Amino acid sequence: MNPAGAAFQVSSGSPLSYSSVRTYQECPQRWKFLYIDRLSETPRGYFSFGRSVHSVLESMLRPLVEPASRRVIPGRTQKTLDAYRPTNGEELSEGRLPSVSELLKLYDAAWVRDGYTSTEEESRYKMLGADLLLRYRAALEEERPHPIAVEPHLEATWDGIPIHGYIDRIDRGKGGGLEILDYKTSRELSEEDARDSDQLSIYQVLVERNYPDPVEGLTLFHLRSLKPLRVAPRGRSAIETLYDRVGTVSDGIRAQAFEPTPGRQCTRCEFKPLCPEFREVPADERLHLAELVDRFRALREREQALESDLRLTAEELHRAAEHLGVHRIPGSSGTALRRKEEVWQYPSEQLVPLLERAGLGEPATPLTTEAVRRLIRDPSIDAELRRRVAETGSRRVKWYWELDEGVDAS
Ligand code: SF4
C-alpha cells in the first residue's frame, strides 16, 4: 500500500501514477529530480507511520479476500491468501482476522523507524498507530467487509496514456458492482476531499479497465475516526476533465518539459540547492552578470516610460479625432491613420440553450464567432431563431493608430 507521498521510481516512458501526476503538476523540475534523476528524499516520520499502518492493514485484510475473484485480463488474477507470502512470520488463515496479540506482533514487525525527529515523536506515532489498528480491528469484527482485492497493482492504458496504481481495497458492492476504498491516516478528512480526490478518480479508471463490473462507489476511509467518506463514482465529464489534465502531464514529460515552478511547495522541497530557480550564481560570474542586470533594468525603465508616453499620445489623438470627426491626422513627416478592430461575442451560456431548444443540438466544439454569424445570415434557418441568436451578440470596437510614412498631400 502506498501512502500519499511515496515516490515511485519511474522514467519518462513509465506509466504514470497518481502521485507522479500530482508531483508533475506541482513542479515539473521536482518531478525530474524524483523520477528521472532518481534523487531520494530524507525519510519523514509521517510517511513511515503511514507505511507501517498500511502494511498491517494489508496483512489484516488479506485473509478476507474472496478467493473466487478474478480480474478481466486473462492469466492475471488477484492474489488470494495462498499466493500471498507473508514476510513477518505471520500466521494468517483464510477468513480470519488476526487476534489482538497477532495484530500487535504484525505491527511491531512492520514498524518503519525512519524519519522521526526524536524517540518521543516516534513513540507518540507508534501509540497512535496501535490505537487506530486496534479500533479498526474491533470495527471489522462487528462488520466484515467483502474484499475481492487488497492492494492489487493495476495497470492500464488510458486512451494512449499508460497509468498504474496500488489500490488499498476493492470490495464487492451491494448492487453487484465494485467499491474502491483508500485508507487515510491524516488528521483531517472531509467528504469534499473524497469528492475532489484525483487519486480516487484514477483508481476508478484503473478498476474500470481491469474488471468487468462497474464501479459503484469511491471511499476515503478516515482511520482516526473510523469514518468512511463515500461518494458516487465520477461521471463521464469529470473523467474526461481528468484525462485532459493527465494528458497535459504526459505530453510535458514526453517533451521533456521540466521547468521549475516555484510556489508554496518550495518550502518543503529538499532539492532547492539544485534547483535552477534557487541555485546561486558562481562568484566569478557575479560582477559581469550584475552589470548586465543593471543594464537590463535601465532599458526596461526606458521601455515603460516610452509605452506610457505612447499610450497618452494615442489617447490625445483619439480625443481630437472624435471631436473633429476625422480619421486621418497629418504630421510633418507622415500621417496618423485611425483604424478599428471589431470583435463580436456570443456567450455560449445563452447560445447553446437557444440552439438546443431549436433542435440544433449542442455543438461538439464551441461555435466560432464566424460560424454564429453565418448561422444568423442563413436563410434556411428560422428567422425568429436567427433574430434571437443575433440578440445574444455584443460588439466591441477597439481603435488604434497606424502611421502612413508619406506626408499627407490632402
Ligand atoms: S525548489 Fe521549488 S521550483 Fe525548485 S524543484 Fe523544488 S518545488 Fe520545484
Side-chain angles (χ1 to χ4, degrees):
M1 302 193 180
N2 288 285
F8 297 103
Q9 300 293 301
V10 298
S11 70
S12 60
S14 301
L16 291 171
S17 66
Y18 156 69
S19 92
S20 80
V21 168
R22 195 186 57 173
T23 302
Y24 188 91
Q25 285 173 326
E26 267 189 2
C27 176
Q29 173 71 72
R30 183 174 155 74
W31 188 95
K32 178 176 177 289
F33 285 141
L34 281 168
Y35 294 98
I36 301 271
D37 303 338
R38 302 193 171 198
L39 303 182
S40 48
E41 295 181 285
T42 312
R44 293 186 194 179
Y46 181 77
F47 292 131
S48 296
F49 168 69
R51 270 170 58 204
S52 309
V53 170
H54 275 75
S55 169
V56 178
L57 286 171
E58 179 182 356
S59 297
M60 184 154 70
L61 291 158
R62 184 72 70 175
L64 307 184
V65 170
E66 295 179 357
S69 308
R70 290 290 181 270
R71 298 254 300 276
V72 78
I73 300 172
R76 286 246 182 117
T77 56
Q78 163 61 30
K79 278 192 246 171
T80 57
L81 192 60
D82 289 342
Y84 174 55
R85 300 268 174 270
T87 51
N88 306 321
E90 308 143 38
E91 290 185 13
L92 303 173
S93 51
E94 204 160 299
R96 185 178 75 84
L97 280 173
S99 67
V100 168
S101 65
E102 282 170 334
L103 179 73
L104 292 173
K105 211 170 107 196
L106 282 169
Y107 186 46
D108 268 340
W111 184 250
V112 181
R113 303 202 57 191
D114 300 338
Y116 294 99
T117 52
S118 63
T119 42
E120 192 269 328
E121 184 191 50
E122 184 185 340
S123 67
R124 213 161 12 91
Y125 267 110
K126 194 160 183 193
M127 275 165 59
L128 172 65
D131 177 56
L132 298 186
L133 288 167
L134 288 171
R135 283 193 295 117
Y136 186 51
R137 186 199 165 280
L140 290 181
E141 283 278 27
E142 294 296 313
E143 192 177 351
R144 292 289 176 98
H146 298 283
I148 65 154
V150 171
E151 206 212 337
H153 177 225
L154 301 186
E155 294 173 288
T157 302
W158 185 11
D159 296 349
I161 306 173
I163 54 170
H164 79 134
Y166 293 83
I167 300 180
D168 286 350
R169 205 175 102 193
I170 304 173
D171 286 3
R172 177 66 59 202
K174 289 196 175 90
L178 299 173
E179 292 278 342
I180 295 171
L181 185 142
D182 190 68
Y183 291 106
K184 294 290 177 205
T185 51
S186 51
R187 205 179 290 275
E188 304 286 342
L189 203 66
S190 68
E191 198 171 300
E192 208 179 347
D193 293 320
R195 261 200 312 274
D196 298 342
S197 165
D198 281 350
Q199 186 178 18
L200 287 178
S201 307
I202 288 178
Y203 288 176
Q204 177 179 331
V205 175
L206 281 167
V207 169
E208 283 172 348
R209 277 159 177 72
N210 277 276
Y211 290 86
D213 305 311
V215 173
E216 249 176 54
L218 305 171
T219 299
L220 289 183
F221 192 94
H222 188 230
L223 281 163
R224 298 195 192 212
S225 63
L226 298 183
K227 208 169 153 198
L229 299 160
R230 182 181 180 279
V231 292
R234 312 294 190 231
R236 208 186 65 178
S237 78
I239 294 291
E240 279 171 2
T241 307
L242 178 66
Y243 176 78
D244 290 342
R245 283 190 281 130
V246 173
T248 304
V249 170
S250 169
D251 292 347
I253 292 169
R254 204 172 323 113
Q256 304 201 6
F258 299 128
E259 291 80 25
T261 309
R264 271 190 319 182
Q265 67 276 13
C266 299
T267 50
R268 59 185 161 77
C269 178
E270 290 183 36
F271 307 127
K272 236 177 176 176
L274 302 171
C275 174
E277 191 68 28
F278 296 96
R279 202 184 297 147
E280 301 250 315
V281 172
D284 56 346
E285 294 283 351
R286 278 192 200 152
L287 192 62
H288 159 65
L289 291 177
E291 281 169 8
L292 266 185
V293 171
D294 292 346
R295 189 156 160 245
F296 177 79
R297 189 178 165 188
L299 286 168
R300 175 55 65 78
E301 280 171 4
R302 270 171 58 196
E303 181 192 30
Q304 283 166 352
L306 274 174
E307 270 174 11
S308 155
D309 222 9
L310 194 61
R311 186 171 42 80
L312 291 174
T313 309
E315 282 171 7
E316 207 174 322
L317 279 171
H318 277 306
R319 280 195 293 277
E322 288 281 314
H323 177 65
L324 299 170
V326 297
H327 280 198
R328 298 163 65 89
I329 303 181
S332 59
S333 59
T335 301
L337 307 173
R338 196 177 188 222
R339 300 287 185 233
K340 79 172 177 200
E341 199 179 276
E342 184 183 78
V343 181
W344 279 89
Q345 285 176 323
Y346 298 90
S348 58
E349 59 273 22
Q350 291 175 32
L351 194 61
V352 170
L354 263 181
L355 297 178
E356 277 179 339
R357 275 202 299 276
L360 294 178
E362 189 179 350
T365 50
L367 284 175
T368 60
T369 303
E370 290 68 30
V372 179
R373 294 184 66 72
R374 271 201 302 278
L375 186 149
I376 292 169
R377 288 192 294 267
D378 186 346
S380 69
I381 292 175
D382 175 59
E384 173 61 12
L385 173 65
R386 287 190 282 140
R387 186 187 64 74
R388 297 185 65 190
V389 168
E391 276 177 7
T392 65
S394 59
R395 176 175 174 264
R396 198 163 53 86
V397 174
K398 190 175 150 200
W399 293 99
Y400 62 97
W401 291 95
E402 272 181 359
L403 273 179
D404 179 355
E405 297 300 336
V407 182
D408 195 5
S410 59

